Amino acid sequence: MSNYPLLINGESVTGDETLDVINPANEKVLATCSRASEAQLNQAVQAAKTAYETWSTESIDTRKAVVSAIADVLEANATELAQILTQEQGKPLADATGEVHGTAAFFRYFTSLNLDVKVLDDSDNRKVELHRKPLGVVAAIMPWNFPLLLLGFKLPAALIAGNTVVLKTAPTTPLSALRLGELIKDVVPKGVVNIIADANDLGGTLTAHPDVRKVSFTGSSGTGSKVMSSAATLLKRITLELGGNDAGIVLDDANPKEIAAKVFQGAFWNSGQVCAALKRLYVHESIYDEMVEELSTIANETTIGDGLEQGVGLGPLQNKMQFEKVKEILAEAAEQGTITAGGEVPDQAGYFIRPTIVRDIAEGTRLVDEEQFGPVLPVIKFSDDADALKRANDCVWGLTGSIWSSNIDRAYKLANDMDAGTVTINTHAALDPSIPFGGSKQSGIGTELGEHGLHEFTQLKVINIAR
Ligand code: NAD
């Protein structure tokens, strides 16, 4: 059995300290893993800095071979990694298995991209070339909702571009990434990938480290703002994927029966702990009652429980802090609106909240105005499309949004005016490694995934030859 070591300079290293990881389905200690000291963080950055000298000069095909080899490792060990993921994060085993294979697919996607030199001008007077060079040591900082999938947003792109990486796990979900580190130790050149765990105490140090040239961060907007301040001192590159309060707008010509399952999935996947989850649902008054009823039926039929058990649709909240926050928001919402499904916090161990639908609620309440990041969905009534759009846009975040309608032209107009990094029609979020993903306003800076996501790990360089 693994004792979950750190990965530093190609070696499995026992942490100078330890960290207890809680299984959110039963609140018991699942494992005690390695926790890095500041000295070990510095060793990881030094290893990445040294490895960069060689790795950055390798051909892109050599780098792709390593990224493919990591994908192979993920797939070959999917059963074990999914078990760990379910137990540390809480998600049902089928979702965890999907996450491991999805992560492998993200690694493979990036191997399909290239960074060819682009010739901007080739005339009698000059030849101008555009190159994309690596940046150096990248710090990749992870949240707790998708401990492996989000690693697939950062690691393959950083590596293919020629950077080396120090990845820091989230303090409550370090195990799957640490185990992956152990498994890839012999397929990645030493120092190219380093994986460390902390107790929420090393993020600032890693971000501020003078040898880190770029920070790729996923987490809350508050911490993202700290990352940006810290990176400002040495003008480091940053990509910030932050929070959201994503709105869905259901127009009067949508069919609640047809769309309810997809809307529910958009809002409740991963127990609502998704940056791009549907977090506010605006529904036209003419179909409001029907939509609420359809969603409530699905919520009532959903089984919650330990993700390792068969037939569980939703797992617990990932950690106690989040559990307490969602319970508080739920208690307020019960006073401010009408709960039509869920609302209960089962009297059992584990951070469980039943999927909850709240109707007759509007702006001015925490459930509508804040990012709940949990399985509680407010359904808000509207009578005029333009007004719904204005209310959806009146938000400090703008990660994703969705429009639901049987008339695509009508939906398209609203989608075009919605202020968000991604707007989907008749589906929500629809993540794909080939589609760039990033937020507007306080949802982030920069882009992950797709060719744009690869380019974020590069420095543009022009070579201009006079003739
Ligand atoms: P968080 O901001 O608390 O923590 C994220 C990571 O930052 C952790 O690894 C943490 O240890 C680290 N950290 C803490 N202080 C730091 C500092 N000063 N400098 C650098 N790193 C530091 O977020 P969380 O609670 O883990 O995740 C939930 C939040 O993340 C939600 O708001 C959610 O919307 C957001 N999220 C966004 C996306 C996206 O792609 N936009 C994806 C997943 C989660």
Side-chain angles (χ1 to χ4, degrees), residues 142 144-145 168 200 217-220 223 241-243 275 371:
M142 304 280 290
W144 44 256
N145 55 351
K168 190 194 84 58
N200 212 23
F217 172 85
T218 302
S220 60
T223 312
E241 296 288 357
L242 309 176
C275 51
E371 182 186 37

Side-chain angles (χ1 to χ4, degrees), residues 41 139-142 168-169 171 196-209 212 215 217 223 226-227 230 236:
L41 178 151
I141 301 182
M142 304 280 290
K168 190 194 84 58
T169 60
I196 59 171
D198 73 338
N200 212 23
D201 54 339
L202 292 180
T205 313
L206 180 58
T207 309
H209 197 294
V212 166
V215 184
F217 172 85
T223 312
K226 286 186 196 161
V227 170
S230 162
K236 292 175 185 170

Side-chain angles (χ1 to χ4, degrees), residues 48-272:
K49 188 182 176 191
T50 305
Y52 178 75
E53 286 168 27
T54 309
W55 182 250
S56 57
T57 64
E58 298 286 10
S59 72
I60 193 164
D61 288 339
T62 302
R63 296 181 205 148
K64 284 183 183 182
V66 170
V67 168
S68 291
I70 300 176
D72 294 343
V73 168
L74 279 158
E75 272 163 0
N77 296 279
T79 305
E80 183 197 347
L81 289 168
Q83 291 266 343
I84 297 171
L85 195 51
T86 288
Q87 292 177 83
E88 70 171 346
Q89 205 283 331
K91 64 189 66 190
L93 190 58
D95 289 357
T97 305
E99 180 166 340
V100 179
H101 287 294
T103 308
F106 277 44
F107 273 75
R108 292 207 195 285
Y109 161 73
F110 280 105
T111 66
S112 71
L113 300 182
N114 286 304
L115 288 167
D116 295 334
V117 175
K118 198 170 160 190
V119 178
L120 298 181
D121 189 10
D122 192 1
S123 56
D124 292 346
N125 299 336
R126 63 180 187 178
K127 184 174 185 192
V128 184
E129 293 176 350
L130 194 60
H131 296 243
R132 289 199 173 268
K133 300 287 189 188
L135 294 163
V137 177
V138 169
I141 301 182
M142 304 280 290
W144 44 256
N145 55 351
F146 291 94
L148 286 180
L149 190 67
L150 292 170
L151 183 151
F153 281 48
K154 303 178 189 305
L155 210 50
L159 295 181
I160 281 179
N163 305 284
T164 55
V165 177
V166 177
L167 182 130
K168 190 194 84 58
T169 60
T172 54
T173 55
L175 302 180
S176 46
L178 289 177
R179 179 64 183 134
L180 180 65
E182 250 185 311
L183 294 166
I184 62 172
K185 181 168 70 74
D186 298 324
V187 303
V188 178
K190 79 176 190 167
V192 169
V193 176
N194 304 271
I195 302 179
I196 59 171
D198 73 338
N200 212 23
D201 54 339
L202 292 180
T205 313
L206 180 58
T207 309
H209 197 294
D211 290 330
V212 166
R213 293 292 310 281
K214 175 179 172 98
V215 184
S216 174
F217 172 85
T218 302
S220 60
S221 296
T223 312
S225 168
K226 286 186 196 161
V227 170
M228 192 166 177
S229 303
S230 162
T233 316
L234 295 177
L235 296 168
K236 292 175 185 170
R237 277 39 177 171
I238 51 171
T239 301
L240 305 176
E241 296 288 357
L242 309 176
N245 192 6
D246 297 359
I249 302 179
V250 183
L251 303 185
D252 56 5
D253 59 8
N255 180 340
K257 260 195 180 43
E258 270 175 22
I259 66 171
K262 277 190 177 177
V263 169
F264 188 85
Q265 170 74 1
F268 289 92
W269 180 41
N270 212 37
S271 296

Side-chain angles (χ1 to χ4, degrees), residues 27-41:
E27 298 176 54
K28 293 192 178 130
V29 174
L30 164 66
T32 300
C33 72
S34 283
R35 171 183 163 195
S37 61
E38 199 171 321
Q40 288 179 313
L41 178 151

